[in-house]
Amino acid sequence: MPRRMTRRARPRATAEAPQETVPVRVKINGVEYSHNVEPRLLLVNYIRDVVGLTGTHVGCDTTHCGACTVLVKGLRGDSWVAVKSCTLLTTQVDGKEVLTIEGLAKNGELHPLQKAFWENHGLQCGFCTPGMIMSALGLLLRNPNPSREEIKWGITGNLCRCTGYINIVKSIEAAAKEMREKGITI
Amino acid sequence: MYPRKFSYVAPNRVEEVLTLLRKYRDEAKLLAGGHSLLPMMKLRIIGPRLVIDLKNLRDRLAYIRDGARVVRIGALTTHADIELSRTLMRDIPLLPETARWIGDMQVRNMGTVGGSLAHSDPAGDWPVAMLALDASVTIQGARKRTIPLSRFLKGPFTTALKPTEILTEIVVPKPPKGHGWSWKKFERRAGDFATVNVAAIVVPDGRGRVKNVSIAIGSVNPTPYRAVNAERILRGKRPDAGLLDKAAEMAAEKAQPSSDLRGSAEYKKWLTRVMVRRALEEALSRAGITLEMTQHA
Ligand SMILES: Cc1cc2nc3c(=O)[nH]c(=O)nc-3n(C[C@H](O)[C@H](O)[C@H](O)COP(=O)(O)OP(=O)(O)OC[C@H]3O[C@@H](n4cnc5c(N)ncnc54)[C@H](O)[C@@H]3O)c2cc1C
Ligand code: FES
Ligand code: FES
């Protein structure tokens, strides 16, 4: 359950004995969370195991498959960027905003990317899909009208073992069109 | 996979970082983008006791500053910052192109140019591109020093950085307007580290000849190197196909690759030659230099 923000002390460096926990405050899908976490807690484990949002998947745990991709705001200026949450410490996003697959649908209506994946057969088993969609969103926020080649380039960090990618690229193309026409971003 | 336990701190000032480094030396590790450090910590190849996150220094150390003769790039500038920089696309297009080929979009959003150089992976892309451009690096410790990159890169995962120092800036001289350039990274699959990576810069003399040329090669030696012999035979010439072959052959001579998953030593040595040849052709053509036609009569 989301907990109310609490005031917290600045983390102190005490390398003599490893710190047990550090306080973090993160906004995920618009909800503020604050917890005391081990410094080594990876963002993906924070999202899944502490906050309980299991839509973000762990595939390889070695920065290759992209299943764990989420968007973070506040890393590069004020824009949302796609990152692999298995390769970030939770503390790296302290004070920042995170968007996961659960945050895309609005008022019971799917985001154009989710709809397009459904309509264009952009998924089979669905394991890669949350990461694939978050990468696609990261790409479209930067480049709302990408060519097929640019779409392929944008998802090189996401592996799919089922679809053969063709329908994924089609889905992203269709979603990009709808997002442009309706002026939808996130 | 969890890293070993460590303490974590994210200072707001470079001076604080230096104080901590002086106190904890080898037991502390700086965290920039974390895309080399965290994988190593997760695999427990390393286990620092203190992680010093540089994220709060981005305001001070992530920038691309356009000067008259040089572009200054802050150490915390991400690969994506460079990939998308208009200044660099205009003045030093080799750099955004190098960035574009690093890992994947997500990796480029996190990884930094300073982290890459400090990490000094023999197959890393920034060391190669920056070497071709004669870049220097600025290091801050008890005092500040700026040294050429060629003296900074000491060996695989080894640099001139002392445990008490931090890399703050990369100074890149602008090649003259109208220069030709090429980035040839051969990767086994999209997003992989290079099997061979080659950067070339060609400065034309305005009369169809090569005024100056630099060729840097990575992944086939403990550290990237400049193919000085090949550069020498090209200077002052309008090359023909034969001279390019010769230059590519000379450039590959110094390569001592090892056999691994990405191929045998013999294959990589041959590949080096091929990639240098292609890089030269592309850089020459972008510099507006057409090859001398050799007579076959
Ligand atoms: C899946 C994947 C694919 C990749 N593909 C490529 C590729 O194709 N080409 C390529 O070149 N790289 C590739 N990389 C590596 C990536 O570019 C890293 O981001 C980069 O090598 C390190 O930068 P970083 O900012 O992440 O550094 P970190 O991981 O934070 O740090 C790396 C090392 O440098 C030290 N350090 C960092 N910043 C400084 C500083 N300012 N001063 C002193 N020391 C410092 C750290 O203490 C650490 O020892 C890949 C990585 C991954 C995970
Ligand atoms: S789990 Fe595969 S990239 Fe993070
Ligand atoms: S749909 Fe099964 S891995 Fe992509």
mmCIF file of all heavy atoms in Angstrom, chain B residues 62 112 119 271:
data_model
loop_
_atom_site.group_PDB
_atom_site.id
_atom_site.type_symbol
_atom_site.label_atom_id
_atom_site.label_comp_id
_atom_site.label_asym_id
_atom_site.label_seq_id
_atom_site.Cartn_x
_atom_site.Cartn_y
_atom_site.Cartn_z
ATOM 1 N N ALA B 62 27.527 17.541 -16.317
ATOM 2 C CA ALA B 62 26.937 17.038 -17.562
ATOM 3 C C ALA B 62 26.670 18.229 -18.466
ATOM 4 O O ALA B 62 25.754 18.998 -18.221
ATOM 5 C CB ALA B 62 25.646 16.277 -17.284
ATOM 6 N N THR B 112 27.622 7.019 -19.169
ATOM 7 C CA THR B 112 28.250 8.328 -19.372
ATOM 8 C C THR B 112 29.587 8.178 -20.096
ATOM 9 O O THR B 112 30.240 7.138 -20.014
ATOM 10 C CB THR B 112 28.509 9.031 -18.026
ATOM 11 O OG1 THR B 112 29.506 8.290 -17.293
ATOM 12 C CG2 THR B 112 27.238 9.129 -17.192
ATOM 13 N N HIS B 119 36.454 3.531 -17.156
ATOM 14 C CA HIS B 119 36.351 2.074 -17.116
ATOM 15 C C HIS B 119 37.398 1.438 -18.042
ATOM 16 O O HIS B 119 37.914 0.359 -17.775
ATOM 17 C CB HIS B 119 34.937 1.675 -17.539
ATOM 18 C CG HIS B 119 34.617 0.243 -17.309
ATOM 19 N ND1 HIS B 119 34.790 -0.370 -16.094
ATOM 20 C CD2 HIS B 119 34.125 -0.715 -18.140
ATOM 21 C CE1 HIS B 119 34.432 -1.635 -16.199
ATOM 22 N NE2 HIS B 119 34.027 -1.875 -17.428
ATOM 23 N N LEU B 271 39.534 -8.950 -40.029
ATOM 24 C CA LEU B 271 38.410 -8.032 -39.904
ATOM 25 C C LEU B 271 38.910 -6.592 -39.656
ATOM 26 O O LEU B 271 38.344 -5.629 -40.188
ATOM 27 C CB LEU B 271 37.512 -8.485 -38.748
ATOM 28 C CG LEU B 271 36.172 -7.782 -38.579
ATOM 29 C CD1 LEU B 271 35.270 -8.016 -39.782
ATOM 30 C CD2 LEU B 271 35.470 -8.287 -37.308
#
